[in-house]
């Protein structure tokens, strides 16, 4: 899909992000190339602004990085200059973890298109997405312990769920950085593409997602995120809502019509 460049008032004045809107998706490019897209307080605030808009008007979100010095960069991590000055109360405020939880909870799916460095907070941002696509030059991991801190924005639990405990410990405690091929082998990313094809692949995935019923997507994502003890009640309630929707009747009737007339009109 080729998007015409658009920007509504909701995204005016952003300095660390470049936003392109479509009717059914929003593409957000992290854009601090001089510091390899390090996530600073301004970027955090602007990503919250994006979340607020997508909570009001749900659309698929595509997150990507930039080219820096001829190399791809998703996000090299939190801004070290800011991080060095943070203290206990900053940690307790959950500056990054709160943002990433909000991104993970967006109504419709989030796609992270990962090229080059996705490390530290950049990797944790990627873990919060529903889908991760990569390139062969991807380098993803958690170097925090080498800086005297820990990965505290989701990696200690999301990474274990994504790749399993042994590899998660290797990344968190021994600083292992995965290549694109290694990330694909453990399904941390589901596809690898040449850098020039990464965004088209993300949009192709968004096309597949947006072909589904929006309400069914929202309720399925909500049910998927619910704790084990909430099932099957939450599934039954969500299905009850969908069974009463017009889209369910229309889509099922269209399916039956295609089966009866496979060649169409």
């Amino acid at each position: 899909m080729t998007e015409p460049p658009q920007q509504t008032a909701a995204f005016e004045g952003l300095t660390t992000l470049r936003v392109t809107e479509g009717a059914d998706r929003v593409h957000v490019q992290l854009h601090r190339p001089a510091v390899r897209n390090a996530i600073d307080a301004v970027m955090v605030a602007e990503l919250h602004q994006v979340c607020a808009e997508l909570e009001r008007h749900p659309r698929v979100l595509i997150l990507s990085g930039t080219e820096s010095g001829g190399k791809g960069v998703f996000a090299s991590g939190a801004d070290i200059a800011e991080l060095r000055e943070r203290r206990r109360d900053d940690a307790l405020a959950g500056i990054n973890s709160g943002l990433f939880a909000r991104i993970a909870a967006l109504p419709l799916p989030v796609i992270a298109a990962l090229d080059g460095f996705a490390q530290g907070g950049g990797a944790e941002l990627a873990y919060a997405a529903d889908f991760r696509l990569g390139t062969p030059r991807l380098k993803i991991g958690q170097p925090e312990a080498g800086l005297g801190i820990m990965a505290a924005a989701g990696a200690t639990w999301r990474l274990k769920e994504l790749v399993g405990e042994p590899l998660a410990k290797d990344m968190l405690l021994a600083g292992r950085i995965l290549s694109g091929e290694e990330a694909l082998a453990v399904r941390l990313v589901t596809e690898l593409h040449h850098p020039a094809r990464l965004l088209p692949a993300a949009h192709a995935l968004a096309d597949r997602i947006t072909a589904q019923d929006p309400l069914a997507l929202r309720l399925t994502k909500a049910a998927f995120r619910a704790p084990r003890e909430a099932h099957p009640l939450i599934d039954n309630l969500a299905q009850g809502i969908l069974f009463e929707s017009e889209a369910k009747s229309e889509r099922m009737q269209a399916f039956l019509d295609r089966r009866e007339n496979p060649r169409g009109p």
Side-chain angles (χ1 to χ4, degrees):
M1 169 188 165
T2 301
E3 295 179 315
Q6 299 178 38
Q7 187 166 299
T8 63
F11 300 126
E12 289 179 354
L14 301 181
T15 60
T16 70
L17 308 175
R18 290 182 172 179
V19 178
T20 305
E21 294 185 81
D24 56 10
R25 72 199 65 183
V26 173
H27 172 209
V28 172
Q29 181 188 39
L30 310 182
H31 192 70
R32 298 187 72 215
V35 289
R36 299 197 299 184
N37 292 339
I39 301 170
D40 66 350
V42 176
M43 185 180 286
V44 168
E46 292 183 353
L47 285 169
H48 274 297
Q49 191 172 331
V50 170
C51 288
E53 173 63 14
L54 293 178
E55 289 160 354
R56 286 191 296 266
H57 304 291
R59 284 170 283 177
V60 170
L61 172 62
I62 298 173
L63 292 168
S64 72
T66 57
E67 288 276 336
S68 179
K71 298 180 179 179
V73 177
F74 179 69
S76 58
D79 191 298
I80 300 299
E82 283 191 359
L83 205 57
R84 182 184 57 192
E85 303 304 318
R86 289 182 184 172
R87 295 296 182 262
R88 177 191 60 201
D89 289 347
D90 298 307
L92 294 175
I95 295 170
N96 285 1
S97 62
L99 169 65
F100 300 164
R102 190 176 187 183
I103 289 172
L106 285 172
L108 290 177
V110 178
I111 302 167
L114 307 173
D115 186 24
F117 288 103
Q119 297 184 12
E124 291 178 297
L125 171 57
Y127 306 153
D130 298 289
F131 299 89
R132 283 164 297 281
L133 310 183
T135 72
R137 62 186 185 182
L138 174 63
K139 300 292 182 184
I140 187 167
Q142 306 300 147
E144 286 90 344
L147 296 170
I149 58 173
M150 62 176 282
T156 56
W157 56 279
R158 283 198 182 99
L159 189 54
K160 179 168 62 176
E161 293 176 352
L162 290 168
V163 302
E165 184 173 317
L167 180 54
K169 285 182 176 177
D170 199 4
M171 296 171 70
L172 290 164
L173 304 178
R176 180 173 175 182
I177 303 296
L178 301 184
S179 67
E181 294 288 350
E182 290 170 324
L184 179 64
V186 298
R187 306 302 288 167
L188 185 55
V189 300
T190 55
E191 301 174 18
L192 283 187
H193 298 276
H194 184 280
R197 296 297 306 160
L198 181 61
L199 274 179
H203 281 293
L205 175 56
D207 289 341
R208 288 165 48 203
I209 293 168
T210 56
Q212 316 306 312
D213 175 54
L215 182 59
L217 287 174
R218 293 183 66 173
L219 292 178
T220 299
K221 181 172 176 178
F224 191 94
R225 287 174 47 80
R228 174 64 182 85
E229 56 270 20
H231 300 276
L233 177 60
I234 191 170
D235 305 88
N236 295 339
L237 292 173
Q239 191 76 299
I241 293 170
L242 292 169
F243 274 8
E244 297 296 324
S245 72
E246 290 185 12
K248 174 247 189 180
S249 298
E250 292 171 358
R251 284 172 175 259
M252 288 192 173
Q253 186 60 53
F255 173 85
L256 293 172
D257 292 343
R258 288 192 301 270
R259 188 172 68 178
E260 292 176 7
N261 301 285
R263 294 184 180 180

